[in-house]
Amino acid sequence: MADRGDLGWRVVAGVAAFAGGFVAKKAISYAWKKGTGKEPPTNPESPEVQLREAVGWVVVMGIGMEVARLL
C-alpha cells in the first residue's frame, strides 16, 4: 500500500498535469485564432467546418498537446 507522502505527490502531479493541459489548450486556441482569424472548430464533424480546417485543427492540437506534455 502506498504511503501518504506518495499519494500526496500523485495528487500534486495530477493537478499539475490538468493545469498544464488547460493552459496549453488555451494557448493553442489563442494561436489558432491569431493565425487564422477564426475561432477553432468546436465540432470538427459539423457541415459548416471544411475538411482542411478540421484536419488542421486536429494536427495543431495534437502536436501542441504533445509538446506541452514533454515540457
Side-chain angles (χ1 to χ4, degrees), residues 27-55:
I28 294 166
S29 296
Y30 177 78
W32 178 270
K33 187 174 179 181
K34 285 293 184 184
T36 64
K38 298 190 309 187
E39 290 289 328
T42 54
N43 183 7
E45 297 174 349
S46 171
E48 297 174 0
V49 177
Q50 296 178 358
L51 179 61
R52 180 177 59 164
E53 184 179 6
V55 170

Side-chain angles (χ1 to χ4, degrees), residues 5-27:
D6 188 39
L7 180 62
W9 280 113
R10 286 184 184 200
V11 170
V12 168
V15 169
F18 177 77
F22 179 78
V23 169
K25 184 176 181 191
K26 290 292 184 181

